[in-house]
Amino acid sequence: KQIIKGKRRDAIMKKYFDVAVEKYVANKKFHVVRPASLANPKDNAVMFIMKEYFDSVSVLYKVNDCLIFWPEEEKVPEEIENRNAIKKCENPHLEYCKFYRDNKITYLPKKVDGEYIDGSFIAKHAVIGSNVCIMPGAYIGEEVCIGDNAYIGAGVKLVGEVSIGNNVVIRENTIIGADGLSTDRDADGKAATMPQFGKVVLEDDVQIGANTVIARGAIDETIIKRGSKIDNSCFISHNVHIGEDSFVVGETIMFGSSKLGDMAFISGNSTVRNGIAIGNRATVGMGAVVVKNVEDGAIVKGNPAR
């Protein structure tokens, strides 16, 4: 497979499903084949926008033939409506999740061709750099790209699209690329869960401890940037972004779409609420529960963190 900046050429505009939009908007006759986000819009995608994110609505002028779930009280610009299928609804996020449930769309890992080498399964199309040490019992999926001089510990599982830089260390029994939980409830209280389609990016010189789980992005990417260190037994959920040279100590949970800046520090057994941003060089004390954004250089501790 040809690699372009760590991505396979055949994955750039990947087709994940095929749904006719006329079942949602009767006068539209095209199909949607992929998910997309406001951060990374694509043509022929299913998307949603909530009222609180209307400052990003301009990105929807750039796409065509999308099914977009839209807040029912908000006006739709004519150009966006002409080029796409707009489904107005009370709760766009719920309808977006129901789209996958109602169309029976899943994105579970598939069995792939590969071979066992020194007790580890390595998929046929996995891309592995030079001087990579893969210990016994590892699983390397076919959408995995590993740079040079990496260490993959015994029992590590790399699932889905995972891009790993040079000099990366992943300790024993860690799972990278597992699904996070992106779900909602319908009017009857039943779960409507969207599959996780995104990837995980570990940049150069990252280290991941043992028994840690890093979830793939829901649509785009979970990213751990150059030089950061994640301790044992942590959970890094979908869409989390961790900056350069930051440390996350054991048993910490960073929930979906939370962010950690550069050279920041999260002490052990801490919890970061979904969507929260922690600034550059900030410090989170042991056992803290972070429910509000943390400014650059701040020190917070306690429950809730102050």
Side-chain angles (χ1 to χ4, degrees):
K1 299 291 185 180
Q2 185 174 0
I3 306 301
I4 303 173
K5 293 183 179 179
K7 296 183 180 180
R8 291 179 174 84
R9 180 181 293 277
D10 62 351
I12 291 174
M13 289 299 282
K14 189 173 181 179
K15 178 179 177 179
Y16 296 87
F17 45 80
D18 193 328
V19 177
V21 301
E22 61 184 326
K23 67 192 293 185
Y24 296 92
V25 182
N27 65 337
K28 301 289 184 175
K29 302 300 181 183
F30 56 86
H31 289 220
V32 288
V33 299
R34 60 182 62 89
S37 68
L38 296 176
N40 190 18
K42 298 182 177 72
D43 294 340
N44 294 100
V46 57
M47 305 174 67
F48 74 98
I49 183 168
M50 302 294 286
K51 185 176 180 180
E52 56 265 36
Y53 297 114
F54 259 68
D55 56 348
S56 300
V57 74
S58 61
V59 303
L60 299 178
Y61 287 98
K62 303 176 183 178
V63 296
N64 296 286
D65 296 336
C66 291
L67 172 61
I68 305 171
F69 294 103
W70 196 279
E72 60 185 3
E73 70 276 12
E74 296 294 331
K75 183 178 179 180
V76 184
E78 184 177 356
E79 183 179 348
I80 293 176
E81 188 164 28
N82 288 341
R83 294 163 57 176
N84 300 282
I86 306 300
K87 178 65 174 177
K88 286 197 166 188
C89 49
E90 181 180 354
N91 185 339
H93 180 263
L94 173 59
E95 296 304 319
Y96 182 78
C97 290
K98 286 170 62 178
F99 169 89
Y100 297 102
R101 185 191 68 182
D102 296 347
N103 289 291
K104 296 180 172 58
I105 295 169
T106 63
Y107 193 53
L108 298 173
K110 296 179 180 179
K111 288 186 177 180
V112 298
D113 294 332
E115 57 183 329
Y116 284 92
I117 301 175
D118 296 332
S120 291
F121 180 86
I122 301 177
K124 180 179 179 180
H125 295 299
V127 177
I128 299 175
S130 62
N131 196 34
V132 173
C133 177
I134 301 177
M135 299 298 283
Y139 173 90
I140 313 296
E142 69 173 359
E143 294 184 287
V144 173
C145 178
I146 303 175
D148 299 336
N149 305 311
Y151 174 89
I152 310 298
V156 167
K157 307 296 188 292
L158 304 179
V159 182
E161 191 175 356
V162 179
S163 177
I164 295 173
N166 301 322
N167 310 309
V168 169
V169 173
I170 304 174
R171 298 290 183 184
E172 289 67 32
N173 294 320
T174 279
I175 300 174
I176 298 178
D179 271 19
L181 185 64
S182 292
T183 193
D184 212 325
R185 293 185 186 274
D186 65 17
D188 298 320
K190 303 296 183 182
T193 301
M194 68 163 289
Q196 307 288 272
F197 296 97
K199 66 180 291 187
V200 178
V201 176
L202 307 184
E203 294 187 352
D204 294 350
D205 303 310
V206 164
Q207 293 186 12
I208 308 296
N211 297 309
T212 284
V213 176
I214 301 176
R216 71 174 92 180
I219 300 173
D220 298 320
E221 298 173 336
T222 299
I223 302 176
I224 300 176
K225 298 184 76 66
R226 186 202 57 77
S228 283
K229 317 299 180 188
I230 311 299
D231 199 2
N232 303 321
S233 301
C234 293
F235 176 47
I236 309 299
S237 192
H238 60 272
N239 305 337
V240 169
H241 287 192
I242 294 177
E244 295 186 357
D245 296 305
S246 286
F247 304 156
V248 179
V249 181
E251 298 190 343
T252 286
I253 299 173
M254 293 187 68
F255 284 115
S257 299
S258 58
K259 293 178 171 59
L260 184 63
D262 299 337
M263 298 186 186
F265 180 84
I266 299 181
S267 193
N269 198 30
S270 297
T271 301
V272 181
R273 185 176 181 175
N274 58 298
I276 293 300
I278 297 172
N280 300 326
R281 299 179 182 270
T283 298
V284 175
M286 185 184 301
V289 178
V290 184
V291 296
K292 294 182 179 180
N293 292 342
V294 178
E295 296 179 354
D296 291 351
I299 301 173
V300 298
K301 56 186 180 179
N303 181 7
R306 296 181 175 86

